[in-house]
Amino acid sequence: MRIQESEPASARYSPARIRATWNGTGSVEDAARALGFSRAKGYELIRRGRFPCRVLRIGRSSRVVTASLLRVLESGEPEYNDSCT
């Protein structure tokens, strides 16, 4: 789901907003932005097995598990792969 670009990024990627608007998974791009880094860095971390929350591989694409992302955002602690934030 795309949000209006005039809205600040902090509001677009707040845990409350994610909980209200995302489905069971989200894009790597949106999850990376919610965590404070770029899309390219997100994909690099996935390739290295270092993305801080659970990622599902579906065919050739990757999806980030929303519940895992929310836990990481709220706790500040990575959930998988010995990642550091």
Side-chain angles (χ1 to χ4, degrees):
M1 170 177 219
R2 291 286 180 209
I3 307 299
Q4 294 177 357
E5 291 299 320
S6 62
E7 190 175 10
S10 60
R12 273 186 279 173
Y13 299 112
S14 70
R17 181 62 168 247
I18 291 169
R19 195 173 280 108
T21 59
W22 289 26
N23 294 318
T25 63
S27 70
V28 173
E29 179 179 1
D30 286 338
R33 287 199 177 146
L35 292 164
F37 45 83
S38 70
R39 172 187 174 274
K41 182 66 171 180
Y43 281 107
E44 176 189 336
L45 291 172
I46 288 170
R47 276 191 301 278
R48 292 182 12 212
R50 296 274 199 196
F51 201 80
C53 51
R54 188 168 177 207
V55 177
L56 298 176
R57 294 283 302 169
I58 302 170
R60 291 178 40 158
S61 63
S62 298
R63 301 291 292 175
V64 176
V65 177
T66 303
S68 179
L69 173 63
L70 289 168
R71 285 190 293 270
V72 171
L73 288 173
E74 291 170 346
S75 72
E77 294 295 321
E79 201 166 86
Y80 292 95
N81 304 321
D82 297 321
S83 298
C84 296
T85 56

Coordinates of all heavy atoms in Angstrom, one line a residue:
M1 N 0.8 -1.2 0.0 CA 0.0 0.0 0.0 C 0.9 1.2 0.0 O 1.8 1.4 0.8 CB -0.9 0.0 1.2 CG -1.6 1.3 1.5 SD -2.7 1.1 2.9 CE -4.0 2.1 2.2
R2 N 0.7 2.1 -0.9 CA 1.4 3.4 -1.0 C 0.7 4.5 -0.2 O -0.5 4.6 -0.3 CB 1.6 3.8 -2.5 CG 2.5 2.9 -3.2 CD 3.9 3.1 -2.9 NE 4.7 2.2 -3.6 CZ 5.9 1.8 -3.2 NH1 6.3 2.1 -2.0 NH2 6.6 1.0 -3.9
I3 N 1.5 5.2 0.6 CA 1.0 6.3 1.4 C 1.4 7.6 0.7 O 2.4 7.6 0.0 CB 1.6 6.2 2.8 CG1 1.3 4.9 3.4 CG2 1.0 7.3 3.7 CD1 -0.1 4.4 3.6
Q4 N 0.6 8.6 0.9 CA 1.0 9.9 0.3 C 2.4 10.3 0.6 O 2.8 10.2 1.8 CB 0.0 11.0 0.8 CG -1.4 10.8 0.4 CD -2.3 11.9 1.0 OE1 -1.9 12.7 1.8 NE2 -3.6 11.8 0.6
E5 N 3.1 10.8 -0.4 CA 4.5 11.2 -0.2 C 4.7 12.4 0.7 O 5.7 12.6 1.3 CB 5.1 11.5 -1.6 CG 5.3 10.2 -2.4 CD 6.2 9.1 -1.8 OE1 7.2 9.5 -1.2 OE2 5.8 8.0 -1.9
S6 N 3.7 13.2 0.9 CA 3.8 14.4 1.7 C 3.8 14.0 3.2 O 4.2 14.9 4.0 CB 2.6 15.4 1.5 OG 1.4 14.8 1.8
E7 N 3.4 12.9 3.6 CA 3.4 12.4 5.0 C 4.9 12.1 5.4 O 5.6 11.5 4.6 CB 2.6 11.2 5.0 CG 2.3 10.7 6.4 CD 1.3 9.5 6.4 OE1 1.0 9.0 5.4 OE2 0.8 9.2 7.5
P8 N 5.3 12.5 6.6 CA 6.6 12.2 7.0 C 6.9 10.7 7.1 O 6.0 9.9 7.5 CB 6.7 12.8 8.4 CG 5.5 13.6 8.6 CD 4.5 13.2 7.6
A9 N 8.1 10.3 6.8 CA 8.5 8.9 6.8 C 8.3 8.3 8.2 O 7.8 7.1 8.3 CB 9.9 8.7 6.4
S10 N 8.5 9.0 9.2 CA 8.4 8.5 10.6 C 6.9 8.1 10.8 O 6.6 7.1 11.5 CB 8.8 9.5 11.6 OG 8.1 10.7 11.5
A11 N 6.0 8.8 10.3 CA 4.5 8.5 10.5 C 4.2 7.3 9.6 O 3.4 6.5 10.0 CB 3.7 9.7 10.1
R12 N 4.7 7.3 8.4 CA 4.4 6.2 7.4 C 4.8 4.9 8.0 O 4.2 3.8 7.7 CB 5.1 6.4 6.1 CG 4.3 7.3 5.2 CD 4.9 7.3 3.8 NE 6.0 8.3 3.9 CZ 6.9 8.5 3.0 NH1 6.9 7.8 1.9 NH2 7.8 9.5 3.2
Y13 N 5.9 4.8 8.7 CA 6.5 3.6 9.1 C 6.5 3.4 10.7 O 7.3 2.7 11.2 CB 7.9 3.4 8.6 CG 8.0 3.5 7.1 CD1 8.5 4.5 6.4 CD2 7.4 2.4 6.4 CE1 8.5 4.5 5.0 CE2 7.4 2.4 5.0 CZ 8.0 3.5 4.3 OH 7.9 3.5 2.9
S14 N 5.5 4.0 11.3 CA 5.4 3.8 12.7 C 4.7 2.4 13.0 O 4.0 2.0 12.1 CB 4.5 4.9 13.3 OG 3.1 4.7 12.9
P15 N 5.0 1.8 14.1 CA 4.4 0.5 14.4 C 2.9 0.5 14.3 O 2.2 -0.4 13.8 CB 4.9 0.1 15.8 CG 6.2 0.8 15.8 CD 6.0 2.1 15.1
A16 N 2.3 1.6 14.8 CA 0.8 1.7 14.8 C 0.3 1.8 13.4 O -0.7 1.1 13.0 CB 0.3 3.0 15.5
R17 N 0.9 2.5 12.5 CA 0.5 2.6 11.1 C 0.7 1.3 10.4 O -0.1 0.9 9.6 CB 1.3 3.7 10.4 CG 1.0 4.0 9.0 CD -0.5 4.4 8.8 NE -0.8 4.9 7.5 CZ -1.1 6.1 7.3 NH1 -1.2 7.0 8.2 NH2 -1.3 6.5 6.0
I18 N 1.8 0.6 10.6 CA 2.1 -0.7 10.0 C 1.1 -1.7 10.4 O 0.5 -2.4 9.6 CB 3.5 -1.1 10.3 CG1 4.6 -0.2 9.6 CG2 3.7 -2.6 9.9 CD1 6.0 -0.5 10.1
R19 N 0.8 -1.7 11.7 CA -0.2 -2.7 12.2 C -1.6 -2.4 11.6 O -2.3 -3.4 11.3 CB -0.3 -2.5 13.8 CG -1.0 -3.6 14.5 CD -0.9 -3.5 16.0 NE 0.4 -3.9 16.5 CZ 1.4 -3.1 16.9 NH1 1.2 -1.8 17.0 NH2 2.5 -3.6 17.3
A20 N -1.9 -1.2 11.3 CA -3.2 -0.9 10.8 C -3.4 -1.1 9.3 O -4.5 -1.3 8.8 CB -3.6 0.6 11.1
T21 N -2.3 -1.0 8.6 CA -2.4 -0.9 7.1 C -1.7 -2.1 6.4 O -2.0 -2.3 5.2 CB -1.8 0.4 6.5 OG1 -0.4 0.5 6.9 CG2 -2.6 1.6 7.0
W22 N -0.7 -2.8 7.0 CA 0.0 -3.9 6.3 C -0.8 -5.2 6.5 O -1.4 -5.4 7.5 CB 1.4 -4.0 6.8 CG 2.3 -2.9 6.4 CD1 2.0 -1.6 6.1 CD2 3.7 -3.0 6.3 NE1 3.1 -0.9 5.8 CE2 4.2 -1.7 6.0 CE3 4.6 -4.0 6.6 CZ2 5.5 -1.4 5.8 CZ3 6.0 -3.7 6.4 CH2 6.4 -2.4 6.0
N23 N -0.6 -6.1 5.5 CA -1.1 -7.4 5.6 C -0.1 -8.3 6.4 O 0.8 -7.8 7.1 CB -1.4 -8.0 4.2 CG -2.5 -7.3 3.6 OD1 -3.5 -7.0 4.2 ND2 -2.4 -7.0 2.3
G24 N -0.1 -9.6 6.2 CA 0.8 -10.5 6.8 C 2.3 -10.3 6.5 O 3.2 -10.7 7.2
T25 N 2.5 -9.8 5.3 CA 3.9 -9.6 4.8 C 4.0 -8.2 4.2 O 3.0 -7.6 3.8 CB 4.4 -10.6 3.8 OG1 3.6 -10.6 2.6 CG2 4.4 -12.0 4.4
G26 N 5.2 -7.7 4.1 CA 5.4 -6.4 3.5 C 6.6 -6.5 2.5 O 7.4 -7.5 2.6
S27 N 6.8 -5.5 1.7 CA 7.9 -5.5 0.8 C 9.2 -5.2 1.5 O 9.3 -4.6 2.6 CB 7.7 -4.4 -0.3 OG 7.9 -3.1 0.3
V28 N 10.3 -5.7 0.9 CA 11.6 -5.4 1.5 C 11.9 -3.9 1.5 O 12.4 -3.4 2.5 CB 12.7 -6.2 0.7 CG1 14.1 -5.8 1.1 CG2 12.5 -7.7 0.8
E29 N 11.5 -3.2 0.5 CA 11.7 -1.8 0.4 C 11.0 -1.1 1.6 O 11.7 -0.2 2.3 CB 11.1 -1.2 -0.9 CG 11.3 0.3 -1.0 CD 10.8 0.8 -2.4 OE1 10.3 0.0 -3.2 OE2 10.9 2.0 -2.5
D30 N 9.8 -1.4 1.8 CA 9.1 -0.7 2.9 C 9.6 -1.1 4.3 O 9.8 -0.3 5.2 CB 7.6 -1.0 2.9 CG 6.9 -0.2 1.8 OD1 7.4 0.8 1.3 OD2 5.8 -0.7 1.4
A31 N 10.0 -2.4 4.5 CA 10.5 -2.8 5.7 C 11.9 -2.2 6.0 O 12.2 -1.8 7.1 CB 10.6 -4.3 5.8
A32 N 12.7 -2.1 5.0 CA 14.0 -1.4 5.1 C 13.8 0.0 5.5 O 14.5 0.5 6.4 CB 14.8 -1.6 3.8
R33 N 12.9 0.7 4.9 CA 12.7 2.1 5.2 C 12.2 2.2 6.7 O 12.6 3.2 7.4 CB 11.7 2.8 4.3 CG 12.4 3.0 2.9 CD 11.6 4.0 2.1 NE 12.3 4.3 0.9 CZ 11.8 4.5 -0.2 NH1 10.5 4.6 -0.3 NH2 12.5 4.8 -1.3
A34 N 11.3 1.3 7.1 CA 10.8 1.3 8.5 C 12.0 1.1 9.5 O 12.0 1.7 10.6 CB 9.8 0.3 8.7
L35 N 13.0 0.4 9.1 CA 14.1 0.1 9.9 C 15.2 1.2 9.8 O 16.2 1.2 10.5 CB 14.7 -1.3 9.6 CG 13.8 -2.4 10.0 CD1 14.3 -3.7 9.3 CD2 13.8 -2.6 11.5
G36 N 15.1 2.1 8.8 CA 16.0 3.2 8.7 C 17.1 3.0 7.7 O 18.1 3.7 7.8
F37 N 17.0 2.1 6.8 CA 18.0 2.0 5.8 C 17.4 1.8 4.4 O 16.2 1.7 4.3 CB 19.0 0.8 6.1 CG 18.5 -0.5 6.5 CD1 18.0 -1.4 5.6 CD2 18.4 -0.8 7.9 CE1 17.5 -2.6 6.1 CE2 18.0 -2.0 8.3 CZ 17.5 -2.9 7.4
S38 N 18.2 1.8 3.4 CA 17.7 1.9 2.0 C 17.3 0.5 1.5 O 17.6 -0.6 2.1 CB 18.9 2.4 1.1 OG 19.9 1.4 1.0
R39 N 16.6 0.5 0.4 CA 16.2 -0.8 -0.3 C 17.4 -1.6 -0.6 O 17.4 -2.8 -0.4 CB 15.4 -0.4 -1.5 CG 15.0 -1.5 -2.4 CD 14.4 -1.0 -3.7 NE 14.1 -2.0 -4.6 CZ 15.0 -2.5 -5.5 NH1 16.2 -2.0 -5.6 NH2 14.7 -3.5 -6.3
A40 N 18.4 -1.0 -1.2 CA 19.6 -1.7 -1.6 C 20.3 -2.4 -0.4 O 20.7 -3.5 -0.4 CB 20.6 -0.8 -2.3
K41 N 20.3 -1.7 0.7 CA 20.9 -2.2 2.0 C 20.1 -3.4 2.5 O 20.6 -4.4 2.9 CB 21.1 -1.1 3.0 CG 21.7 -1.6 4.3 CD 23.1 -2.0 4.1 CE 23.8 -2.2 5.4 NZ 25.2 -2.6 5.2
G42 N 18.8 -3.3 2.4 CA 17.9 -4.3 2.8 C 18.1 -5.6 2.0 O 18.2 -6.7 2.6
Y43 N 18.2 -5.5 0.7 CA 18.5 -6.7 -0.1 C 19.9 -7.2 0.1 O 20.1 -8.4 0.1 CB 18.3 -6.4 -1.6 CG 16.8 -6.4 -2.0 CD1 16.2 -5.3 -2.3 CD2 16.1 -7.6 -2.0 CE1 14.8 -5.3 -2.6 CE2 14.8 -7.7 -2.4 CZ 14.1 -6.5 -2.7 OH 12.8 -6.6 -3.0
E44 N 20.9 -6.4 0.4 CA 22.2 -6.8 0.7 C 22.2 -7.6 2.0 O 22.8 -8.7 2.1 CB 23.2 -5.6 0.9 CG 24.5 -6.0 1.3 CD 25.4 -4.8 1.7 OE1 25.1 -3.7 1.2 OE2 26.3 -5.0 2.5
L45 N 21.5 -7.1 3.0 CA 21.4 -7.8 4.3 C 20.6 -9.2 4.2 O 21.0 -10.2 4.8 CB 20.6 -7.0 5.3 CG 21.4 -5.7 5.8 CD1 20.5 -4.9 6.7 CD2 22.7 -6.1 6.6
I46 N 19.6 -9.2 3.3 CA 18.9 -10.5 3.0 C 19.9 -11.5 2.4 O 20.0 -12.7 2.8 CB 17.7 -10.3 2.2 CG1 16.6 -9.6 3.0 CG2 17.2 -11.6 1.6 CD1 15.4 -9.1 2.2
R47 N 20.7 -11.1 1.4 CA 21.6 -12.0 0.7 C 22.7 -12.5 1.7 O 23.1 -13.6 1.6 CB 22.4 -11.2 -0.4 CG 21.6 -11.2 -1.7 CD 22.5 -10.7 -2.8 NE 23.0 -9.4 -2.6 CZ 22.3 -8.2 -2.9 NH1 21.1 -8.3 -3.3 NH2 22.9 -7.1 -2.7
R48 N 23.1 -11.7 2.7 CA 24.1 -12.1 3.7 C 23.5 -12.8 4.9 O 24.2 -13.2 5.8 CB 24.8 -10.9 4.2 CG 25.7 -10.3 3.1 CD 26.5 -9.1 3.5 NE 26.6 -8.8 4.9 CZ 26.7 -7.7 5.5 NH1 26.7 -6.6 4.8 NH2 26.7 -7.5 6.8
G49 N 22.1 -13.0 4.9 CA 21.5 -13.6 6.0 C 21.5 -12.8 7.3 O 21.5 -13.3 8.4
R50 N 21.5 -11.4 7.1 CA 21.6 -10.5 8.2 C 20.4 -9.6 8.4 O 20.5 -8.6 9.2 CB 22.9 -9.7 8.0 CG 24.1 -10.5 8.1 CD 24.5 -10.6 9.5 NE 25.9 -11.0 9.7 CZ 26.3 -11.4 10.9 NH1 25.4 -11.6 11.8 NH2 27.5 -11.8 11.0
F51 N 19.4 -9.8 7.6 CA 18.2 -8.9 7.8 C 17.6 -9.1 9.2 O 17.5 -10.2 9.6 CB 17.1 -9.2 6.7 CG 16.2 -8.0 6.5 CD1 16.5 -7.0 5.7 CD2 14.9 -8.0 7.1 CE1 15.6 -5.9 5.5 CE2 14.1 -7.0 6.9 CZ 14.4 -5.9 6.1
P52 N 17.3 -8.0 9.9 CA 17.0 -8.2 11.4 C 15.7 -8.8 11.7 O 15.4 -9.0 12.9 CB 17.1 -6.7 11.9 CG 16.9 -5.9 10.7 CD 17.4 -6.6 9.5
C53 N 14.8 -9.1 10.7 CA 13.6 -9.8 11.0 C 13.3 -10.9 9.9 O 14.1 -11.0 9.0 CB 12.4 -8.8 11.1 SG 12.2 -7.7 9.8
R54 N 12.3 -11.7 10.2 CA 12.0 -12.8 9.3 C 11.7 -12.4 7.9 O 10.8 -11.6 7.7 CB 10.9 -13.6 10.0 CG 10.7 -14.9 9.3 CD 9.8 -15.8 10.1 NE 9.6 -17.0 9.4 CZ 8.5 -17.8 9.5 NH1 7.6 -17.5 10.3 NH2 8.4 -18.9 8.8
V55 N 12.3 -13.1 7.0 CA 12.1 -12.9 5.5 C 11.6 -14.2 4.9 O 12.3 -15.2 5.1 CB 13.3 -12.3 4.8 CG1 13.1 -12.2 3.4 CG2 13.8 -11.0 5.5
L56 N 10.6 -14.1 4.1 CA 10.1 -15.3 3.4 C 10.5 -15.2 2.0 O 10.4 -14.2 1.3 CB 8.6 -15.4 3.4 CG 7.9 -15.5 4.8 CD1 6.4 -15.5 4.7 CD2 8.4 -16.8 5.5
R57 N 11.1 -16.3 1.4 CA 11.4 -16.4 0.0 C 10.3 -17.1 -0.7 O 9.9 -18.2 -0.3 CB 12.7 -17.2 -0.2 CG 13.9 -16.6 0.4 CD 14.5 -15.4 -0.5 NE 14.8 -15.9 -1.8 CZ 15.0 -15.1 -2.8 NH1 15.1 -13.8 -2.6 NH2 15.3 -15.6 -4.0
I58 N 9.6 -16.4 -1.6 CA 8.5 -16.9 -2.4 C 8.9 -16.9 -3.8 O 8.9 -15.8 -4.4 CB 7.2 -16.1 -2.1 CG1 6.9 -16.1 -0.6 CG2 6.1 -16.7 -2.9 CD1 5.8 -15.2 -0.2
G59 N 9.3 -18.0 -4.4 CA 9.9 -18.0 -5.7 C 11.2 -17.2 -5.7 O 12.1 -17.4 -4.9
R60 N 11.2 -16.2 -6.6 CA 12.4 -15.4 -6.7 C 12.2 -14.1 -5.9 O 13.1 -13.3 -5.9 CB 12.7 -15.0 -8.1 CG 13.1 -16.3 -8.9 CD 13.4 -15.9 -10.4 NE 14.0 -14.6 -10.6 CZ 14.7 -14.3 -11.6 NH1 14.8 -15.2 -12.6 NH2 15.2 -13.1 -11.8
S61 N 11.1 -13.9 -5.2 CA 10.9 -12.7 -4.5 C 11.0 -12.9 -3.0 O 11.0 -14.0 -2.5 CB 9.5 -12.0 -4.8 OG 8.5 -12.9 -4.4
S62 N 11.2 -11.8 -2.3 CA 11.3 -11.9 -0.8 C 10.2 -11.0 -0.2 O 10.0 -9.9 -0.7 CB 12.7 -11.3 -0.4 OG 13.7 -12.1 -0.9
R63 N 9.7 -11.5 0.9 CA 8.6 -10.7 1.6 C 9.0 -10.7 3.1 O 9.5 -11.7 3.6 CB 7.2 -11.3 1.5 CG 6.7 -11.4 0.1 CD 6.5 -10.0 -0.5 NE 5.3 -9.4 0.1 CZ 4.8 -8.2 -0.1 NH1 5.5 -7.4 -1.0 NH2 3.8 -7.7 0.5
V64 N 8.8 -9.6 3.8 CA 9.2 -9.5 5.2 C 7.9 -9.7 6.0 O 6.8 -9.2 5.7 CB 9.7 -8.1 5.5 CG1 10.0 -7.9 7.0 CG2 11.0 -7.8 4.7
V65 N 8.0 -10.6 7.0 CA 6.9 -10.9 7.9 C 6.6 -9.7 8.8 O 7.4 -9.3 9.6 CB 7.2 -12.2 8.7 CG1 6.0 -12.5 9.7 CG2 7.5 -13.4 7.8
T66 N 5.3 -9.2 8.7 CA 4.9 -8.0 9.4 C 5.1 -8.1 10.9 O 5.6 -7.2 11.6 CB 3.5 -7.6 9.0 OG1 3.4 -7.4 7.6 CG2 3.1 -6.3 9.7
A67 N 4.6 -9.2 11.4 CA 4.7 -9.4 12.9 C 6.1 -9.4 13.4 O 6.4 -8.8 14.4 CB 4.0 -10.8 13.3
S68 N 7.0 -10.0 12.6 CA 8.4 -10.0 13.0 C 9.0 -8.6 12.9 O 9.7 -8.1 13.8 CB 9.2 -10.9 12.1 OG 10.6 -10.9 12.3
L69 N 8.7 -7.8 11.9 CA 9.1 -6.4 11.7 C 8.6 -5.6 12.9 O 9.4 -4.8 13.5 CB 8.6 -5.9 10.4 CG 8.8 -4.4 10.2 CD1 10.3 -4.1 10.2 CD2 8.1 -3.9 9.0
L70 N 7.4 -5.8 13.3 CA 6.8 -5.0 14.4 C 7.6 -5.3 15.7 O 7.9 -4.4 16.5 CB 5.3 -5.3 14.6 CG 4.5 -4.6 13.5 CD1 3.0 -5.2 13.6 CD2 4.5 -3.1 13.6
R71 N 7.9 -6.6 16.0 CA 8.6 -7.0 17.2 C 10.0 -6.3 17.2 O 10.4 -5.8 18.2 CB 8.7 -8.5 17.3 CG 7.4 -9.2 17.7 CD 7.6 -10.6 18.1 NE 8.0 -11.4 16.9 CZ 7.1 -12.0 16.1 NH1 5.8 -12.0 16.4 NH2 7.5 -12.8 15.1
V72 N 10.6 -6.3 16.0 CA 12.0 -5.7 16.0 C 11.9 -4.2 16.2 O 12.7 -3.6 16.9 CB 12.6 -6.0 14.6 CG1 13.9 -5.2 14.4 CG2 12.9 -7.5 14.5
L73 N 10.9 -3.5 15.6 CA 10.7 -2.1 15.7 C 10.4 -1.7 17.2 O 10.9 -0.7 17.7 CB 9.6 -1.6 14.8 CG 9.9 -1.5 13.4 CD1 8.7 -1.1 12.6 CD2 11.0 -0.5 13.1
E74 N 9.6 -2.5 17.8 CA 9.2 -2.2 19.2 C 10.3 -2.6 20.2 O 10.4 -1.9 21.2 CB 7.9 -2.9 19.5 CG 6.8 -2.2 18.7 CD 5.4 -3.0 18.8 OE1 5.4 -4.2 19.2 OE2 4.4 -2.4 18.4
S75 N 11.1 -3.6 20.0 CA 12.1 -4.0 21.0 C 13.5 -3.4 20.7 O 14.3 -3.3 21.6 CB 12.2 -5.5 21.0 OG 12.8 -6.0 19.8
G76 N 13.7 -3.1 19.4 CA 15.0 -2.6 19.0 C 16.1 -3.8 18.9 O 17.2 -3.5 18.7
E77 N 15.6 -5.0 19.1 CA 16.5 -6.2 19.0 C 16.2 -7.0 17.8 O 15.0 -7.2 17.5 CB 16.3 -7.1 20.2 CG 16.7 -6.4 21.5 CD 18.2 -6.2 21.6 OE1 19.0 -7.0 21.2 OE2 18.6 -5.1 22.1
P78 N 17.2 -7.4 17.0 CA 17.0 -8.2 15.9 C 16.4 -9.6 16.3 O 16.6 -10.0 17.4 CB 18.4 -8.4 15.2 CG 19.3 -8.1 16.3 CD 18.6 -7.1 17.3
E79 N 15.7 -10.2 15.4 CA 15.0 -11.4 15.7 C 15.6 -12.6 15.1 O 15.4 -13.7 15.6 CB 13.5 -11.3 15.2 CG 12.6 -12.2 15.9 CD 11.2 -11.8 15.6 OE1 10.6 -12.3 14.6 OE2 10.6 -11.1 16.5
Y80 N 16.4 -12.5 14.0 CA 16.9 -13.7 13.4 C 18.4 -13.4 12.9 O 18.8 -12.3 12.8 CB 16.1 -14.0 12.1 CG 14.7 -14.5 12.5 CD1 13.7 -13.6 12.5 CD2 14.5 -15.8 12.8 CE1 12.4 -14.1 12.9 CE2 13.3 -16.3 13.2 CZ 12.2 -15.4 13.3 OH 11.0 -15.8 13.6
N81 N 19.0 -14.5 12.6 CA 20.3 -14.4 11.9 C 21.5 -13.7 12.6 O 22.4 -13.3 12.0 CB 20.2 -13.8 10.5 CG 19.1 -14.5 9.7 OD1 19.0 -15.7 9.7 ND2 18.3 -13.7 9.0
D82 N 21.4 -13.6 14.0 CA 22.5 -12.9 14.7 C 22.8 -11.5 14.2 O 23.9 -11.0 14.2 CB 23.8 -13.7 14.7 CG 23.6 -15.1 15.3 OD1 22.9 -15.1 16.3 OD2 24.2 -16.0 14.8
S83 N 21.7 -10.8 13.7 CA 21.9 -9.5 13.1 C 22.1 -8.5 14.3 O 21.6 -8.7 15.4 CB 20.6 -9.1 12.3 OG 20.5 -10.0 11.3
C84 N 22.7 -7.4 13.9 CA 22.9 -6.2 14.8 C 22.2 -5.0 14.2 O 22.2 -4.8 13.0 CB 24.3 -5.9 15.0 SG 25.2 -7.3 15.8
T85 N 21.5 -4.2 15.1 CA 20.9 -3.0 14.6 C 21.7 -1.8 15.1 O 22.5 -1.9 16.0 CB 19.5 -2.8 15.1 OG1 19.5 -2.9 16.5 CG2 18.6 -3.9 14.5

